[in-house]
Amino acid sequence: MDHILKLDDLLHESSSDDELEIISAFAIAKERLENERGSISRRGSSRRRKAIFRNSLQGEENILRDYFAASPVYPPRKFRRRFRMRRELFLRIHDAIVDHEPYFVQRRNAAGKLGHSSLQKMIAAIKMLAYGVTANFMDEYLRIGEATVMDSFKLFVKAVISIFSVQYLRSPNEDDVARLLAIGESRGFSGMLGSIDCMHWKWKNCPSAWKGMYSGHVHEPTIILEAVASYDHWIWHAFFGLPGSHNDINVLNRSSVFTNLAAGRAPPVNYSVNGHNYTMGYYLADGIYPSWATFVKTIHAPQGNKRKNFAAAQESARKDVERAFGVLQARFSIIRGPARLHQPEMLNEIMIACIILHNMIVEDERDLYQEADAFDYEQINDTPLEPLSREHTAEALDFIQNRHRIKDREIHSQLQSDLVEHLWQIHSQS
């Protein structure tokens, strides 16, 4: 405010009667000018974000000393508990991701300063998955900023899906089917390939315009995961992304769980129960699922010892998928708590990556489960599946006939009756 005159000039031009009024006006104007300058200075300082010297090398030294040294501070069981996997599996994933994604390679910036290491970025991503914490939670220990953590997290999830989904999120091949049938036979359920059910993941930051579509019986926005799991918690099928307003039947009609079977590309399944031969495997399911030939459900309000024995055995074995959900959420708390991201595509990638890592841990620690010697998940059938050609009438008719066989209610009732007798024979002999 250069237009304000100096105090001496004001007093020289004014009369003695106006002296007090002029001094007061000048003091007020001077105070207002100082306040304006101070506010401008404060606004400028708030806009300019000062760079934080985090000493990223110190964060890397902390990691190497605590977990990767020749004699680390924390023993292997602590590593397994905090990172949800053994160190050997962690390093295997680390090497594959560094080779696949250049972002995780440690580099120098334009000033010649060494950036964050691949271990820092990967550990930050895994801790977000394992503990469900925010991006700035690991700053004090890892010495890594929030923006870098989020970039590492998103790229880590994408890399896991790109590298490992073919092996660890595949449909059962012939060897897998034979193994699953043998395990089902030992448990009294000949022809069983696993259990199927749905799980809801609460979506905290669901856009307001979508809340009605994503809110179901829990009256909160959720996203549904349909999964098929076997006795060792391996998840063979995962279909994620439908709004929580759907029920299990709606999800089933949209999923691809029986696509290969309907297309005639599924491995052959042949077994016999109570003197009857069957050519399709089945999944144990709860009461909401339809009475198809590929589902075996419990008996509501069973009457008689045979039916009660069957209901108890079916409800016990069906909890394989419930246990798999529990283990999955215990390992990765990010999908146990409410989802904080806004993009449904990113939530889908997080869920699929957690399932892939879960299956990798199951494979790495399969000696902890029963029938350990029977599991060999490294065997992969790399033969590409031939797409179903709708141009050929014969193939189209086969597809329709297979769909009818899958939904055959008579086979469902006959299979349930045979299993009732089969389980009662096993119970009587024991």
Side-chain angles (χ1 to χ4, degrees), residues 233-291:
H233 304 157
W234 184 285
I235 297 177
W236 292 101
H237 161 77
F239 176 64
F240 178 79
L242 286 188
S245 57
H246 291 74
N247 58 26
D248 294 7
I249 300 179
N250 303 140
V251 178
L252 175 65
N253 291 331
R254 297 282 297 275
S255 72
S256 59
V257 61
F258 295 127
T259 299
N260 289 338
L261 181 60
R265 299 178 303 205
V269 176
N270 297 287
Y271 61 97
S272 177
V273 183
N274 196 33
H276 294 92
N277 297 322
Y278 296 92
T279 58
M280 287 192 303
Y282 60 84
Y283 301 120
L284 301 183
D286 59 13
I288 192 175
Y289 281 86
S291 298

Short mmCIF file of all heavy atoms in Angstrom, two decimals, residues 233-291:
data_model
loop_
_atom_site.label_atom_id
_atom_site.label_comp_id
_atom_site.label_asym_id
_atom_site.label_seq_id
_atom_site.Cartn_x
_atom_site.Cartn_y
_atom_site.Cartn_z
N HIS A 233 -7.56 -75.99 1.30
CA HIS A 233 -7.75 -74.54 1.20
C HIS A 233 -7.33 -73.96 -0.16
O HIS A 233 -7.35 -72.74 -0.31
CB HIS A 233 -7.01 -73.78 2.31
CG HIS A 233 -7.37 -74.22 3.68
ND1 HIS A 233 -6.53 -74.04 4.77
CD2 HIS A 233 -8.48 -74.84 4.17
CE1 HIS A 233 -7.09 -74.53 5.84
NE2 HIS A 233 -8.28 -75.03 5.52
N TRP A 234 -6.94 -74.80 -1.10
CA TRP A 234 -6.61 -74.29 -2.44
C TRP A 234 -7.89 -73.81 -3.12
O TRP A 234 -8.89 -74.53 -3.15
CB TRP A 234 -5.95 -75.39 -3.27
CG TRP A 234 -5.48 -74.94 -4.62
CD1 TRP A 234 -6.25 -74.69 -5.72
CD2 TRP A 234 -4.12 -74.71 -5.03
NE1 TRP A 234 -5.47 -74.31 -6.77
CE2 TRP A 234 -4.15 -74.31 -6.39
CE3 TRP A 234 -2.89 -74.81 -4.39
CZ2 TRP A 234 -3.01 -74.02 -7.11
CZ3 TRP A 234 -1.75 -74.51 -5.11
CH2 TRP A 234 -1.80 -74.12 -6.45
N ILE A 235 -7.86 -72.62 -3.68
CA ILE A 235 -9.02 -72.04 -4.35
C ILE A 235 -8.88 -72.29 -5.85
O ILE A 235 -7.99 -71.74 -6.50
CB ILE A 235 -9.13 -70.54 -4.04
CG1 ILE A 235 -9.37 -70.35 -2.53
CG2 ILE A 235 -10.26 -69.89 -4.84
CD1 ILE A 235 -9.43 -68.90 -2.09
N TRP A 236 -9.78 -73.12 -6.40
CA TRP A 236 -9.70 -73.53 -7.79
C TRP A 236 -10.46 -72.61 -8.73
O TRP A 236 -10.19 -72.58 -9.92
CB TRP A 236 -10.24 -74.95 -7.95
CG TRP A 236 -9.39 -75.98 -7.30
CD1 TRP A 236 -9.60 -76.59 -6.10
CD2 TRP A 236 -8.15 -76.52 -7.80
NE1 TRP A 236 -8.58 -77.48 -5.82
CE2 TRP A 236 -7.68 -77.45 -6.85
CE3 TRP A 236 -7.41 -76.31 -8.96
CZ2 TRP A 236 -6.51 -78.16 -7.03
CZ3 TRP A 236 -6.24 -77.02 -9.14
CH2 TRP A 236 -5.80 -77.93 -8.18
N HIS A 237 -11.41 -71.91 -8.22
CA HIS A 237 -12.22 -71.01 -9.05
C HIS A 237 -12.52 -69.75 -8.25
O HIS A 237 -12.85 -69.83 -7.06
CB HIS A 237 -13.53 -71.70 -9.46
CG HIS A 237 -14.59 -70.75 -9.91
ND1 HIS A 237 -14.59 -70.17 -11.17
CD2 HIS A 237 -15.70 -70.26 -9.28
CE1 HIS A 237 -15.65 -69.39 -11.29
NE2 HIS A 237 -16.34 -69.42 -10.16
N ALA A 238 -12.40 -68.59 -8.88
CA ALA A 238 -12.69 -67.32 -8.23
C ALA A 238 -13.37 -66.41 -9.24
O ALA A 238 -12.84 -66.17 -10.34
CB ALA A 238 -11.41 -66.67 -7.70
N PHE A 239 -14.54 -65.92 -8.86
CA PHE A 239 -15.28 -64.98 -9.70
C PHE A 239 -15.69 -63.81 -8.80
O PHE A 239 -16.49 -63.97 -7.87
CB PHE A 239 -16.52 -65.66 -10.30
CG PHE A 239 -17.39 -64.72 -11.10
CD1 PHE A 239 -16.92 -64.10 -12.24
CD2 PHE A 239 -18.69 -64.47 -10.68
CE1 PHE A 239 -17.74 -63.23 -12.95
CE2 PHE A 239 -19.51 -63.61 -11.39
CZ PHE A 239 -19.03 -62.99 -12.53
N PHE A 240 -15.13 -62.64 -9.09
CA PHE A 240 -15.30 -61.49 -8.19
C PHE A 240 -15.74 -60.27 -8.98
O PHE A 240 -15.33 -60.07 -10.13
CB PHE A 240 -13.97 -61.18 -7.48
CG PHE A 240 -14.03 -59.99 -6.57
CD1 PHE A 240 -14.58 -60.09 -5.30
CD2 PHE A 240 -13.53 -58.76 -6.97
CE1 PHE A 240 -14.63 -59.00 -4.46
CE2 PHE A 240 -13.58 -57.66 -6.15
CZ PHE A 240 -14.13 -57.78 -4.88
N GLY A 241 -16.59 -59.44 -8.35
CA GLY A 241 -16.92 -58.17 -8.95
C GLY A 241 -18.39 -57.82 -9.00
O GLY A 241 -18.73 -56.66 -9.23
N LEU A 242 -19.30 -58.79 -8.79
CA LEU A 242 -20.72 -58.46 -8.87
C LEU A 242 -21.17 -57.69 -7.64
O LEU A 242 -20.69 -57.92 -6.53
CB LEU A 242 -21.55 -59.74 -9.02
CG LEU A 242 -21.50 -60.43 -10.38
CD1 LEU A 242 -22.52 -61.55 -10.43
CD2 LEU A 242 -21.77 -59.44 -11.51
N PRO A 243 -22.12 -56.77 -7.79
CA PRO A 243 -22.61 -55.98 -6.65
C PRO A 243 -23.25 -56.86 -5.59
O PRO A 243 -23.76 -57.95 -5.87
CB PRO A 243 -23.63 -55.04 -7.28
CG PRO A 243 -23.26 -54.96 -8.73
CD PRO A 243 -22.70 -56.31 -9.07
N GLY A 244 -23.23 -56.38 -4.35
CA GLY A 244 -23.74 -57.14 -3.22
C GLY A 244 -25.24 -57.33 -3.21
O GLY A 244 -25.76 -58.08 -2.38
N SER A 245 -25.98 -56.66 -4.11
CA SER A 245 -27.43 -56.86 -4.17
C SER A 245 -27.80 -58.20 -4.79
O SER A 245 -28.95 -58.63 -4.70
CB SER A 245 -28.07 -55.72 -4.97
OG SER A 245 -27.52 -55.63 -6.27
N HIS A 246 -26.85 -58.88 -5.44
CA HIS A 246 -27.11 -60.19 -6.03
C HIS A 246 -27.10 -61.26 -4.94
O HIS A 246 -26.46 -61.12 -3.90
CB HIS A 246 -26.07 -60.54 -7.09
CG HIS A 246 -26.16 -59.70 -8.33
ND1 HIS A 246 -25.75 -58.40 -8.37
CD2 HIS A 246 -26.61 -60.00 -9.58
CE1 HIS A 246 -25.94 -57.91 -9.59
NE2 HIS A 246 -26.45 -58.86 -10.34
N ASN A 247 -27.79 -62.37 -5.20
CA ASN A 247 -27.67 -63.53 -4.34
C ASN A 247 -26.79 -64.57 -5.01
O ASN A 247 -26.30 -64.37 -6.12
CB ASN A 247 -29.05 -64.11 -3.98
CG ASN A 247 -29.85 -64.51 -5.22
OD1 ASN A 247 -29.28 -64.82 -6.27
ND2 ASN A 247 -31.17 -64.50 -5.11
N ASP A 248 -26.61 -65.71 -4.35
CA ASP A 248 -25.68 -66.71 -4.86
C ASP A 248 -26.11 -67.28 -6.21
O ASP A 248 -25.27 -67.64 -7.05
CB ASP A 248 -25.53 -67.85 -3.84
CG ASP A 248 -24.85 -67.38 -2.56
OD1 ASP A 248 -24.62 -66.17 -2.44
OD2 ASP A 248 -24.57 -68.21 -1.68
N ILE A 249 -27.43 -67.37 -6.45
CA ILE A 249 -27.90 -67.90 -7.73
C ILE A 249 -27.60 -66.93 -8.86
O ILE A 249 -27.19 -67.34 -9.95
CB ILE A 249 -29.41 -68.19 -7.64
CG1 ILE A 249 -29.68 -69.22 -6.54
CG2 ILE A 249 -29.94 -68.69 -8.97
CD1 ILE A 249 -31.15 -69.54 -6.35
N ASN A 250 -27.80 -65.63 -8.61
CA ASN A 250 -27.46 -64.64 -9.64
C ASN A 250 -25.98 -64.69 -9.99
O ASN A 250 -25.61 -64.60 -11.17
CB ASN A 250 -27.82 -63.24 -9.17
CG ASN A 250 -29.28 -63.09 -8.80
OD1 ASN A 250 -29.63 -62.44 -7.83
ND2 ASN A 250 -30.15 -63.71 -9.57
N VAL A 251 -25.14 -64.84 -8.98
CA VAL A 251 -23.70 -64.91 -9.22
C VAL A 251 -23.36 -66.17 -10.00
O VAL A 251 -22.54 -66.14 -10.93
CB VAL A 251 -22.93 -64.88 -7.88
CG1 VAL A 251 -21.43 -65.01 -8.13
CG2 VAL A 251 -23.23 -63.59 -7.13
N LEU A 252 -24.01 -67.29 -9.66
CA LEU A 252 -23.76 -68.55 -10.36
C LEU A 252 -24.10 -68.43 -11.84
O LEU A 252 -23.37 -68.94 -12.70
CB LEU A 252 -24.57 -69.67 -9.71
CG LEU A 252 -24.52 -71.03 -10.40
CD1 LEU A 252 -23.12 -71.62 -10.33
CD2 LEU A 252 -25.55 -71.99 -9.77
N ASN A 253 -25.19 -67.76 -12.16
CA ASN A 253 -25.60 -67.62 -13.55
C ASN A 253 -24.65 -66.73 -14.36
O ASN A 253 -24.66 -66.78 -15.59
CB ASN A 253 -27.02 -67.05 -13.62
CG ASN A 253 -28.06 -68.03 -13.11
OD1 ASN A 253 -27.88 -69.24 -13.19
ND2 ASN A 253 -29.15 -67.51 -12.56
N ARG A 254 -23.86 -65.92 -13.68
CA ARG A 254 -22.92 -65.04 -14.37
C ARG A 254 -21.49 -65.58 -14.39
O ARG A 254 -20.66 -65.12 -15.17
CB ARG A 254 -22.92 -63.66 -13.68
CG ARG A 254 -24.23 -62.92 -13.74
CD ARG A 254 -24.45 -62.27 -15.09
NE ARG A 254 -23.42 -61.27 -15.37
CZ ARG A 254 -23.47 -60.01 -14.95
NH1 ARG A 254 -24.50 -59.59 -14.21
NH2 ARG A 254 -22.52 -59.16 -15.25
N SER A 255 -21.19 -66.53 -13.51
CA SER A 255 -19.81 -66.99 -13.38
C SER A 255 -19.47 -68.03 -14.45
O SER A 255 -20.34 -68.51 -15.18
CB SER A 255 -19.58 -67.60 -11.99
OG SER A 255 -20.24 -68.85 -11.88
N SER A 256 -18.20 -68.38 -14.49
CA SER A 256 -17.70 -69.32 -15.50
C SER A 256 -17.32 -70.66 -14.88
O SER A 256 -16.50 -71.38 -15.44
CB SER A 256 -16.46 -68.73 -16.18
OG SER A 256 -15.44 -68.45 -15.23
N VAL A 257 -17.94 -71.00 -13.75
CA VAL A 257 -17.52 -72.21 -13.05
C VAL A 257 -17.80 -73.47 -13.87
O VAL A 257 -17.05 -74.46 -13.79
CB VAL A 257 -18.22 -72.28 -11.67
CG1 VAL A 257 -19.72 -72.33 -11.80
CG2 VAL A 257 -17.70 -73.46 -10.86
N PHE A 258 -18.85 -73.46 -14.70
CA PHE A 258 -19.19 -74.65 -15.50
C PHE A 258 -18.98 -74.41 -17.00
O PHE A 258 -19.51 -75.16 -17.82
CB PHE A 258 -20.64 -75.06 -15.25
CG PHE A 258 -20.90 -75.53 -13.85
CD1 PHE A 258 -21.92 -74.96 -13.10
CD2 PHE A 258 -20.12 -76.51 -13.27
CE1 PHE A 258 -22.17 -75.37 -11.81
CE2 PHE A 258 -20.35 -76.93 -11.97
CZ PHE A 258 -21.38 -76.36 -11.23
N THR A 259 -18.22 -73.39 -17.36
CA THR A 259 -18.04 -73.09 -18.77
C THR A 259 -17.32 -74.21 -19.51
O THR A 259 -17.76 -74.66 -20.58
CB THR A 259 -17.26 -71.78 -18.92
OG1 THR A 259 -18.00 -70.71 -18.32
CG2 THR A 259 -17.03 -71.45 -20.39
N ASN A 260 -16.21 -74.68 -18.95
CA ASN A 260 -15.46 -75.76 -19.60
C ASN A 260 -16.26 -77.05 -19.65
O ASN A 260 -16.18 -77.81 -20.63
CB ASN A 260 -14.14 -76.00 -18.87
CG ASN A 260 -13.16 -74.87 -19.08
OD1 ASN A 260 -13.25 -74.11 -20.05
ND2 ASN A 260 -12.21 -74.72 -18.17
N LEU A 261 -17.05 -77.31 -18.60
CA LEU A 261 -17.87 -78.53 -18.59
C LEU A 261 -18.94 -78.47 -19.66
O LEU A 261 -19.18 -79.45 -20.38
CB LEU A 261 -18.50 -78.70 -17.21
CG LEU A 261 -19.37 -79.95 -17.01
CD1 LEU A 261 -18.55 -81.21 -17.24
CD2 LEU A 261 -19.98 -79.95 -15.61
N ALA A 262 -19.58 -77.32 -19.80
CA ALA A 262 -20.62 -77.19 -20.83
C ALA A 262 -20.03 -77.23 -22.23
O ALA A 262 -20.67 -77.72 -23.17
CB ALA A 262 -21.39 -75.89 -20.62
N ALA A 263 -18.80 -76.72 -22.37
CA ALA A 263 -18.15 -76.72 -23.69
C ALA A 263 -17.49 -78.05 -24.02
O ALA A 263 -16.94 -78.20 -25.11
CB ALA A 263 -17.12 -75.60 -23.75
N GLY A 264 -17.53 -79.00 -23.10
CA GLY A 264 -16.92 -80.29 -23.35
C GLY A 264 -15.41 -80.30 -23.25
O GLY A 264 -14.75 -81.18 -23.80
N ARG A 265 -14.84 -79.31 -22.53
CA ARG A 265 -13.39 -79.22 -22.43
C ARG A 265 -12.87 -79.57 -21.04
O ARG A 265 -11.68 -79.46 -20.78
CB ARG A 265 -12.94 -77.80 -22.79
CG ARG A 265 -13.30 -77.40 -24.20
CD ARG A 265 -12.89 -75.99 -24.52
NE ARG A 265 -13.46 -75.02 -23.61
CZ ARG A 265 -13.66 -73.74 -23.93
NH1 ARG A 265 -13.33 -73.30 -25.13
NH2 ARG A 265 -14.18 -72.90 -23.05
N ALA A 266 -13.76 -79.97 -20.14
CA ALA A 266 -13.34 -80.32 -18.79
C ALA A 266 -12.75 -81.73 -18.77
O ALA A 266 -13.12 -82.58 -19.58
CB ALA A 266 -14.52 -80.23 -17.83
N PRO A 267 -11.81 -82.00 -17.87
CA PRO A 267 -11.25 -83.35 -17.77
C PRO A 267 -12.35 -84.36 -17.44
O PRO A 267 -13.31 -84.04 -16.75
CB PRO A 267 -10.24 -83.23 -16.61
CG PRO A 267 -9.91 -81.78 -16.55
CD PRO A 267 -11.16 -81.05 -16.95
N PRO A 268 -12.24 -85.59 -17.94
CA PRO A 268 -13.29 -86.59 -17.68
C PRO A 268 -13.35 -86.99 -16.22
O PRO A 268 -12.33 -87.06 -15.53
CB PRO A 268 -12.86 -87.77 -18.57
CG PRO A 268 -11.38 -87.58 -18.76
CD PRO A 268 -11.15 -86.11 -18.78
N VAL A 269 -14.55 -87.21 -15.75
CA VAL A 269 -14.79 -87.63 -14.37
C VAL A 269 -15.68 -88.87 -14.42
O VAL A 269 -16.80 -88.80 -14.95
CB VAL A 269 -15.46 -86.52 -13.54
CG1 VAL A 269 -15.78 -87.03 -12.15
CG2 VAL A 269 -14.57 -85.29 -13.48
N ASN A 270 -15.21 -89.97 -13.87
CA ASN A 270 -15.98 -91.22 -13.85
C ASN A 270 -15.86 -91.83 -12.46
O ASN A 270 -14.75 -92.03 -11.96
CB ASN A 270 -15.47 -92.20 -14.91
CG ASN A 270 -15.64 -91.67 -16.32
OD1 ASN A 270 -16.74 -91.62 -16.86
ND2 ASN A 270 -14.52 -91.28 -16.93
N TYR A 271 -17.00 -92.12 -11.87
CA TYR A 271 -17.00 -92.74 -10.53
C TYR A 271 -18.33 -93.48 -10.36
O TYR A 271 -19.27 -93.32 -11.15
CB TYR A 271 -16.82 -91.69 -9.44
CG TYR A 271 -17.91 -90.63 -9.39
CD1 TYR A 271 -18.98 -90.75 -8.51
CD2 TYR A 271 -17.88 -89.53 -10.24
CE1 TYR A 271 -19.97 -89.79 -8.47
CE2 TYR A 271 -18.86 -88.58 -10.20
CZ TYR A 271 -19.91 -88.70 -9.32
OH TYR A 271 -20.90 -87.76 -9.29
N SER A 272 -18.37 -94.28 -9.32
CA SER A 272 -19.54 -95.10 -9.05
C SER A 272 -19.93 -94.95 -7.58
O SER A 272 -19.07 -94.96 -6.70
CB SER A 272 -19.26 -96.57 -9.37
OG SER A 272 -20.37 -97.38 -9.05
N VAL A 273 -21.23 -94.78 -7.35
CA VAL A 273 -21.77 -94.66 -5.99
C VAL A 273 -23.00 -95.54 -5.88
O VAL A 273 -23.96 -95.40 -6.66
CB VAL A 273 -22.15 -93.20 -5.66
CG1 VAL A 273 -22.64 -93.11 -4.21
CG2 VAL A 273 -20.98 -92.27 -5.88
N ASN A 274 -22.96 -96.46 -4.93
CA ASN A 274 -24.12 -97.32 -4.63
C ASN A 274 -24.59 -98.07 -5.88
O ASN A 274 -25.79 -98.25 -6.11
CB ASN A 274 -25.26 -96.47 -4.05
CG ASN A 274 -26.31 -97.32 -3.36
OD1 ASN A 274 -26.01 -98.37 -2.77
ND2 ASN A 274 -27.57 -96.89 -3.44
N GLY A 275 -23.63 -98.48 -6.71
CA GLY A 275 -23.96 -99.27 -7.89
C GLY A 275 -24.37 -98.46 -9.10
O GLY A 275 -24.70 -99.05 -10.14
N HIS A 276 -24.36 -97.14 -9.03
CA HIS A 276 -24.71 -96.31 -10.17
C HIS A 276 -23.47 -95.55 -10.64
O HIS A 276 -22.67 -95.06 -9.83
CB HIS A 276 -25.81 -95.31 -9.80
CG HIS A 276 -27.12 -95.95 -9.49
ND1 HIS A 276 -27.49 -96.30 -8.20
CD2 HIS A 276 -28.14 -96.32 -10.30
CE1 HIS A 276 -28.69 -96.83 -8.22
NE2 HIS A 276 -29.11 -96.88 -9.49
N ASN A 277 -23.32 -95.46 -11.97
CA ASN A 277 -22.17 -94.79 -12.56
C ASN A 277 -22.53 -93.33 -12.90
O ASN A 277 -23.64 -93.04 -13.39
CB ASN A 277 -21.71 -95.51 -13.82
CG ASN A 277 -21.24 -96.93 -13.54
OD1 ASN A 277 -20.60 -97.18 -12.51
ND2 ASN A 277 -21.55 -97.85 -14.44
N TYR A 278 -21.54 -92.45 -12.70
CA TYR A 278 -21.73 -91.02 -12.98
C TYR A 278 -20.53 -90.52 -13.77
O TYR A 278 -19.41 -91.03 -13.65
CB TYR A 278 -21.88 -90.23 -11.69
CG TYR A 278 -23.11 -90.60 -10.88
CD1 TYR A 278 -23.05 -91.57 -9.90
CD2 TYR A 278 -24.32 -89.96 -11.11
CE1 TYR A 278 -24.17 -91.91 -9.16
CE2 TYR A 278 -25.45 -90.29 -10.38
CZ TYR A 278 -25.37 -91.26 -9.41
OH TYR A 278 -26.49 -91.60 -8.68
N THR A 279 -20.78 -89.49 -14.58
CA THR A 279 -19.74 -88.95 -15.46
C THR A 279 -19.48 -87.46 -15.25
O THR A 279 -18.79 -86.84 -16.05
CB THR A 279 -20.12 -89.18 -16.94
OG1 THR A 279 -21.38 -88.54 -17.21
CG2 THR A 279 -20.21 -90.66 -17.25
N MET A 280 -20.03 -86.89 -14.21
CA MET A 280 -19.79 -85.48 -13.88
C MET A 280 -19.49 -85.35 -12.40
O MET A 280 -20.19 -85.93 -11.57
CB MET A 280 -21.01 -84.60 -14.24
CG MET A 280 -21.21 -84.37 -15.71
SD MET A 280 -22.44 -83.07 -16.02
CE MET A 280 -23.84 -83.73 -15.15
N GLY A 281 -18.42 -84.59 -12.10
CA GLY A 281 -18.14 -84.31 -10.70
C GLY A 281 -19.12 -83.29 -10.15
O GLY A 281 -19.90 -82.68 -10.88
N TYR A 282 -19.06 -83.10 -8.84
CA TYR A 282 -19.99 -82.19 -8.20
C TYR A 282 -19.29 -81.40 -7.09
O TYR A 282 -18.20 -81.76 -6.64
CB TYR A 282 -21.19 -82.96 -7.61
CG TYR A 282 -20.82 -83.99 -6.57
CD1 TYR A 282 -20.64 -83.65 -5.22
CD2 TYR A 282 -20.64 -85.33 -6.92
CE1 TYR A 282 -20.29 -84.60 -4.28
CE2 TYR A 282 -20.29 -86.29 -5.99
CZ TYR A 282 -20.12 -85.91 -4.67
OH TYR A 282 -19.77 -86.85 -3.73
N TYR A 283 -19.96 -80.32 -6.69
CA TYR A 283 -19.49 -79.48 -5.58
C TYR A 283 -20.51 -79.53 -4.46
O TYR A 283 -21.73 -79.57 -4.72
CB TYR A 283 -19.31 -78.03 -6.03
CG TYR A 283 -18.34 -77.83 -7.17
CD1 TYR A 283 -18.75 -77.26 -8.37
CD2 TYR A 283 -17.01 -78.23 -7.05
CE1 TYR A 283 -17.87 -77.07 -9.42
CE2 TYR A 283 -16.12 -78.05 -8.08
CZ TYR A 283 -16.56 -77.48 -9.27
OH TYR A 283 -15.67 -77.32 -10.31
N LEU A 284 -20.04 -79.52 -3.25
CA LEU A 284 -20.93 -79.41 -2.09
C LEU A 284 -21.38 -77.96 -1.96
O LEU A 284 -20.57 -77.05 -2.07
CB LEU A 284 -20.23 -79.87 -0.82
CG LEU A 284 -19.70 -81.32 -0.81
CD1 LEU A 284 -19.11 -81.65 0.54
CD2 LEU A 284 -20.81 -82.30 -1.17
N ALA A 285 -22.67 -77.75 -1.74
CA ALA A 285 -23.24 -76.40 -1.71
C ALA A 285 -24.29 -76.32 -0.62
O ALA A 285 -24.78 -77.33 -0.10
CB ALA A 285 -23.84 -76.04 -3.07
N ASP A 286 -24.64 -75.06 -0.27
CA ASP A 286 -25.69 -74.88 0.73
C ASP A 286 -27.05 -74.85 0.05
O ASP A 286 -27.19 -75.02 -1.16
CB ASP A 286 -25.44 -73.60 1.55
CG ASP A 286 -25.37 -72.36 0.69
OD1 ASP A 286 -25.76 -72.42 -0.49
OD2 ASP A 286 -24.92 -71.31 1.20
N GLY A 287 -28.09 -74.58 0.83
CA GLY A 287 -29.45 -74.76 0.35
C GLY A 287 -29.90 -73.80 -0.72
O GLY A 287 -30.87 -74.08 -1.43
N ILE A 288 -29.26 -72.64 -0.87
CA ILE A 288 -29.72 -71.66 -1.84
C ILE A 288 -29.41 -72.06 -3.28
O ILE A 288 -30.09 -71.62 -4.22
CB ILE A 288 -29.12 -70.27 -1.55
CG1 ILE A 288 -29.84 -69.18 -2.37
CG2 ILE A 288 -27.62 -70.26 -1.83
CD1 ILE A 288 -29.38 -67.78 -2.06
N TYR A 289 -28.44 -72.95 -3.46
CA TYR A 289 -28.06 -73.33 -4.82
C TYR A 289 -29.12 -74.24 -5.44
O TYR A 289 -29.82 -74.97 -4.75
CB TYR A 289 -26.69 -74.01 -4.81
CG TYR A 289 -25.55 -73.05 -4.70
CD1 TYR A 289 -25.10 -72.61 -3.46
CD2 TYR A 289 -24.92 -72.55 -5.82
CE1 TYR A 289 -24.06 -71.70 -3.35
CE2 TYR A 289 -23.87 -71.65 -5.74
CZ TYR A 289 -23.45 -71.23 -4.49
OH TYR A 289 -22.42 -70.32 -4.40
N PRO A 290 -29.25 -74.20 -6.77
CA PRO A 290 -30.29 -75.01 -7.44
C PRO A 290 -29.97 -76.50 -7.37
O PRO A 290 -28.84 -76.91 -7.12
CB PRO A 290 -30.25 -74.50 -8.88
CG PRO A 290 -28.87 -73.95 -9.07
CD PRO A 290 -28.47 -73.39 -7.73
N SER A 291 -30.98 -77.29 -7.61
CA SER A 291 -30.84 -78.75 -7.57
C SER A 291 -30.34 -79.25 -8.91
O SER A 291 -31.08 -79.82 -9.72
CB SER A 291 -32.20 -79.39 -7.22
OG SER A 291 -32.63 -78.98 -5.94
#
